[in-house]
């Protein structure tokens, strides 16, 4: 079982909300703890975004509860109708994310059966508001997430796994079912990378020079993620057409294998280059002696098609091979673009990378 920072923040927020509620001597402080659960957010920026919405949800829920409590009493049917109306209003005002908090307010206030209902409703409203504010304070000061480091770590580890499986696939060394399972896991992990990128993008910098650095980093990370997706698409193609790949002439198969090995090594070097572990001007791909230009590769491919036709080779599938080649060339172009972006970023902000990743990546 893995416990992240958000789990600890939730526990701290509940304790803090209960403590404040007891300090203010509010009855039923448990509702403050419940509100804190709904109010915890994964990032500081999302806390800013949602606190107003959560306060609005609390106001809507409390208002509906008080009106229905005064007009129709506290019968369970009245509570149900109040809940339905609260849901309708929350959807109308596009406050779906705080819907649960509004419903808690409705039920928490309408369950009162005694006199002085208005005072009780106000107290419950304040109790829930305490929970919301407590969660906001915890989001603000407790374990602020470092999404950039988390994002790069996810990309780095995921890409390392994709590279290993791609090397196995192009050599026909991977088992079909195992590769299929790995591809499914890679796609799910890629979705988590996209989520972390959104979290990092939402983080705000209030110093002008930091904003420029952040903007450049976002461009690099966007291309880094796109390039990883291209490598995953390539692995998928190798998996889908493994039979056609096995039927290729030995020389042509070796050429594809060598080119892919160079590209995968190039990708590994780019990730090291971004962390400052590799010289910006160093590039194994561009210095390769046996580098074959893209147009030359396509010419070789066309010659191989013509040769197969002349020899009457019915096993050679030019159609499926074209799919694989297109993915390889697409992957190659994205790697080159990523290299350009990393070098450009390092020329302006190279010191930022060394400081932030010095302890994380060796």
């Amino acid at each position: 079982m893995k416990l992240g920072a958000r789990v600890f923040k939730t526990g701290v927020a509940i304790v803090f909300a209960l403590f404040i509620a007891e300090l203010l001597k509010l009855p039923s402080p448990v509702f403050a703890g419940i509100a804190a659960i709904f109010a915890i957010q994964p990032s500081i920026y999302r806390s800013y975004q949602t606190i107003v919405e959560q306060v609005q949800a609390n106001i809507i829920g409390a208002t509906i509860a008080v009106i229905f409590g005064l007009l129709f009493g506290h019968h369970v049917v009245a509570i149900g109708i109040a809940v339905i109306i609260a849901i309708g209003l929350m959807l109308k005002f596009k406050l779906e994310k705080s819907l649960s908090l509004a419903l808690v307010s409705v039920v928490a206030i309408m369950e009162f059966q005694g006199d002085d209902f208005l005072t009780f409703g106000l107290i419950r409203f304040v109790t829930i508001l305490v929970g919301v504010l407590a969660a906001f304070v915890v989001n603000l000061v407790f374990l602020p997430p470092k999404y950039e480091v988390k994002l790069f770590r996810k990309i780095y580890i995921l890409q390392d796994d994709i590279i290993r499986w791609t090397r196995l696939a192009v050599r026909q060394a991977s088992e079909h079912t195992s590769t299929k399972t790995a591809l499914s896991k890679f796609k799910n992990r890629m979705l988590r990378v996209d989520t972390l990128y959104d979290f990092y993008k939402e983080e705000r910098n209030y110093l002008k020079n930091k904003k420029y650095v952040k903007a450049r980093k976002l461009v690099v990370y966007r291309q880094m993620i796109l390039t990883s997706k291209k490598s995953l698409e390539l692995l998928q193609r190798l998996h889908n057409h493994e039979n056609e790949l096995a039927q290729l002439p030995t020389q042509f198969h070796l050429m594809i294998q060598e080119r892919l090995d160079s590209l995968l090594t190039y990708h590994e070097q780019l990730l090291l280059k971004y962390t400052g572990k590799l010289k910006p001007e160093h590039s194994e791909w561009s210095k390769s002696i046996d580098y074959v230009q893209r147009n030359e590769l396509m010419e070789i491919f066309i010659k191989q098609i013509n040769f197969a036709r002349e020899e009457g080779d019915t096993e050679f599938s030019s159609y499926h091979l074209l799919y694989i080649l297109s993915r390889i060339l697409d992957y190659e172009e994205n790697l080159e673009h990523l290299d350009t972006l990393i070098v450009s970023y390092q020329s302006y902000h190279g010191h930022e990378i060394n400081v932030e990743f010095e302890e994380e990546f060796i």
Side-chain angles (χ1 to χ4, degrees), residues 162-226:
I162 293 174
I163 286 173
R164 285 190 290 108
W165 278 95
T166 303
R167 285 191 170 120
L168 290 173
V170 76
R171 287 169 171 77
Q172 305 285 292
S174 57
E175 200 273 326
H176 183 84
T177 305
S178 299
T179 307
K180 184 178 180 180
T181 302
L183 280 166
S184 178
K185 292 180 179 179
F186 290 158
K187 291 173 184 176
N188 291 331
R189 288 165 65 182
M190 192 65 75
L191 292 175
R192 291 196 286 271
V193 168
D194 287 333
T195 301
L196 279 174
Y197 176 79
D198 290 337
F199 287 157
Y200 175 59
K201 186 177 180 181
E202 290 171 355
E203 287 183 345
R204 290 295 182 264
N205 297 107
Y206 300 100
L207 297 177
K208 190 173 181 179
N209 62 327
K210 293 292 184 181
K211 289 182 180 180
Y212 290 130
V213 175
K214 176 69 174 291
R216 285 181 177 272
K217 283 183 177 180
L218 286 173
V219 174
V220 174
Y221 281 118
R222 186 169 63 243
Q223 181 61 30
M224 200 179 289
I225 294 171
L226 178 59

Side-chain angles (χ1 to χ4, degrees), residues 50-331:
T50 58
I51 186 170
V52 175
E53 184 176 312
Q54 290 161 348
V55 171
Q56 290 174 335
N58 192 21
I59 292 173
I60 290 173
T63 302
I64 292 174
V66 169
I67 292 174
F68 269 74
L70 293 175
L71 294 178
F72 305 108
H74 309 279
H75 195 274
V76 290
V77 176
I79 296 176
I81 296 173
V83 165
I84 293 172
I85 293 176
I87 293 173
L89 287 175
M90 292 292 290
L91 294 177
K92 180 178 178 59
F93 294 126
K94 298 181 180 180
L95 301 172
E96 297 91 342
K97 294 181 181 178
S98 300
L99 179 59
S100 299
L101 188 65
L103 301 185
V104 168
S105 298
V106 172
V107 176
I109 293 174
M110 291 194 70
E111 60 93 21
F112 182 69
Q113 300 290 337
D115 298 328
D116 204 4
F117 177 64
L118 285 175
T119 302
F120 175 82
L122 179 62
I123 292 174
R124 281 290 165 87
F125 170 79
V126 172
T127 303
I128 293 174
L129 187 61
V130 165
V132 171
L133 295 176
F136 175 73
V137 172
V138 171
N139 272 323
L140 200 62
V141 301
F142 183 77
L143 292 177
K146 296 181 179 179
Y147 282 116
E148 183 189 358
V149 176
K150 290 182 178 180
L151 173 61
F152 184 80
R153 185 189 299 117
K154 287 284 186 184
I155 296 173
Y156 187 88
I157 296 173
L158 174 58
Q159 190 58 52
D160 184 61
D161 290 340
I162 293 174
I163 286 173
R164 285 190 290 108
W165 278 95
T166 303
R167 285 191 170 120
L168 290 173
V170 76
R171 287 169 171 77
Q172 305 285 292
S174 57
E175 200 273 326
H176 183 84
T177 305
S178 299
T179 307
K180 184 178 180 180
T181 302
L183 280 166
S184 178
K185 292 180 179 179
F186 290 158
K187 291 173 184 176
N188 291 331
R189 288 165 65 182
M190 192 65 75
L191 292 175
R192 291 196 286 271
V193 168
D194 287 333
T195 301
L196 279 174
Y197 176 79
D198 290 337
F199 287 157
Y200 175 59
K201 186 177 180 181
E202 290 171 355
E203 287 183 345
R204 290 295 182 264
N205 297 107
Y206 300 100
L207 297 177
K208 190 173 181 179
N209 62 327
K210 293 292 184 181
K211 289 182 180 180
Y212 290 130
V213 175
K214 176 69 174 291
R216 285 181 177 272
K217 283 183 177 180
L218 286 173
V219 174
V220 174
Y221 281 118
R222 186 169 63 243
Q223 181 61 30
M224 200 179 289
I225 294 171
L226 178 59
T227 307
S228 292
K229 289 179 178 178
K230 295 299 180 182
S231 69
L232 183 56
E233 290 174 4
L234 173 58
L235 176 58
Q236 182 72 63
R237 286 297 179 186
L238 292 173
H239 172 68
N240 291 344
H241 306 302
E242 59 183 357
N243 292 330
E244 290 80 2
L245 193 63
Q247 294 168 1
L248 288 176
T250 303
Q251 184 177 0
F252 200 69
H253 191 173
L254 286 175
M255 187 181 70
I256 291 178
Q257 179 179 312
E258 290 173 2
R259 192 177 190 88
L260 261 181
D261 282 340
S262 297
L263 288 173
L264 295 173
T265 301
Y266 184 31
H267 201 159
E268 291 172 328
Q269 291 176 347
L270 289 182
L271 295 178
L272 289 174
K273 184 184 292 188
Y274 183 72
T275 62
K277 307 301 180 183
L278 201 67
K279 294 179 180 179
E281 65 275 7
H282 182 76
S283 174
E284 186 68 30
W285 177 247
S286 62
K287 291 182 179 180
S288 176
I289 299 175
D290 299 325
Y291 177 75
V292 180
Q293 297 294 332
R294 283 186 279 270
N295 59 337
E296 294 176 351
L297 182 64
M298 293 307 298
E299 288 176 3
I300 295 172
F301 171 62
I302 293 171
K303 289 179 181 178
Q304 183 62 48
I305 293 176
N306 294 331
F307 177 77
R309 286 177 178 174
E310 291 174 359
E311 295 294 323
D313 187 357
T314 57
E315 293 184 349
F316 180 76
S317 176
S318 58
Y319 175 75
H320 293 106
L321 180 59
L322 184 60
Y323 270 114
I324 297 174
L325 283 177
S326 65
R327 294 301 179 192
I328 292 175
L329 297 180
D330 192 19
Y331 177 42

